Amino acid sequence: MESKFSVSRKGILFVISGPSGVGKGTLTEMIVEQNHLQYSISATTRPPRVGEVQGKDYFFLERSDFEAMMAGDEFLEWAEVYGNYYGTPRRFVLDNLERGQDVLLEIDIQGAMQVKAKFPEGAFIFIAPPSEAELAQRLEKRGKDSSETIANRLLCYDKEMAQMANYDYVVVNDELESTMAQLIAIITAERCRVVRFIGGG
Ligand code: 5GP
């Protein structure tokens, strides 16, 4: 008789969120490289920033194309963030999980909660800045956004931080090396959870 115990497991869905400017982009890039994770490229109606590449950073779409994908139920989740649509193409994520490949989503809180409803067994990680002042400073230093956009993003700060309660883990992005060490510890522990190996996970 074949044993029901197996040392192979299904892919894990890792979801990372946090306030804009907290450093998610850099962290995500490093984690994906070092931890054999498949990054899910989102679709967005936001115009590309300088240096961003179509199909690598995002699938940059016209609003009408995004809406056609919504109508076709092609998103695992989607949300309107700061006036633009953002969404996770469904097929790519499901195919990877099915073949045992862990996937990483870097999405906003509204999207993360939609994913949690569908994949409660996912690992939900909230990246927090050391303080609001530090976050404001990082947004200004990054120089990617207008002062109006920055002010708008800071207005959401309290509301966003309160959402931390809906995540499994919080990591304060204080210093890159220790933040990375914490993220790697979370990923490693999640991969070793018994539930991943005996069904359900
Ligand atoms: P940015 O425009 O700075 O690249 O991203 C703005 C916000 O949109 C960030 O909080 C980012 O996590 C979020 N975001 C990026 N892709 C997606 C997605 O596919 N779905 C959702 N819900 N949010 C996303």
Side-chain angles (χ1 to χ4, degrees):
M1 197 177 75
E2 201 177 319
S3 167
K4 69 175 174 172
F5 297 103
S6 142
V7 283
S8 70
R9 58 168 177 82
K10 269 200 193 165
I12 303 170
L13 190 53
F14 289 96
V15 179
I16 288 188
S17 312
S20 173
V22 76
K24 285 168 293 178
T26 310
L27 293 170
T28 303
E29 216 170 289
M30 291 177 71
I31 299 167
V32 165
E33 263 173 33
Q34 297 177 18
N35 292 273
H36 192 59
L37 285 162
Q38 182 67 58
Y39 179 67
S40 157
I41 300 166
S42 296
T44 184
T45 58
R46 165 172 79 62
R49 297 191 182 113
V50 177
E52 284 185 331
V53 177
Q54 172 72 288
K56 178 172 171 279
D57 296 290
Y58 280 105
F59 298 111
F60 296 101
L61 301 180
E62 294 299 326
R63 228 173 155 86
S64 56
D65 293 331
F66 195 101
E67 283 165 352
M69 284 182 73
M70 277 179 195
D73 199 23
E74 290 180 49
F75 290 119
L76 188 62
E77 61 73 35
W78 65 268
E80 194 163 351
V81 188
Y82 313 120
N84 286 298
Y85 286 137
Y86 292 81
T88 303
R90 175 201 302 279
R91 194 69 266 158
F92 180 83
V93 173
L94 298 187
D95 286 351
N96 274 285
L97 292 178
E98 201 49 49
R99 63 186 179 85
Q101 170 64 57
D102 299 336
V103 177
L104 179 69
L105 308 183
E106 190 256 273
I107 60 177
D108 93 311
I109 293 157
Q110 307 167 69
M113 293 307 104
Q114 293 175 46
V115 174
K116 197 175 174 187
K118 291 176 189 158
F119 289 87
E121 71 279 15
F124 295 81
I125 306 169
F126 190 90
I127 311 283
S131 67
E132 185 175 6
E134 173 72 30
L135 183 68
Q137 223 175 50
R138 285 186 198 173
L139 281 168
E140 273 155 30
K141 222 166 90 188
R142 170 166 98 160
K144 282 184 182 170
D145 305 290
S146 67
S147 51
E148 193 191 336
T149 305
I150 293 177
N152 193 10
R153 292 190 170 192
L154 287 173
L155 272 180
C156 301
Y157 179 79
D158 280 345
K159 222 171 86 194
E160 285 186 339
M161 290 296 282
Q163 294 291 332
M164 192 196 290
N166 293 317
Y167 286 73
D168 301 311
Y169 301 95
V170 59
V171 175
V172 178
N173 188 17
D174 202 344
E175 191 263 318
L176 187 63
E177 206 174 313
S178 74
T179 305
M180 280 301 294
Q182 289 174 58
L183 286 169
I184 290 167
I186 292 167
I187 291 166
T188 307
E190 281 291 333
R191 284 175 166 163
C192 297
R193 287 182 62 199
V194 168
V195 70
R196 308 287 179 207
F197 294 89
I198 54 169

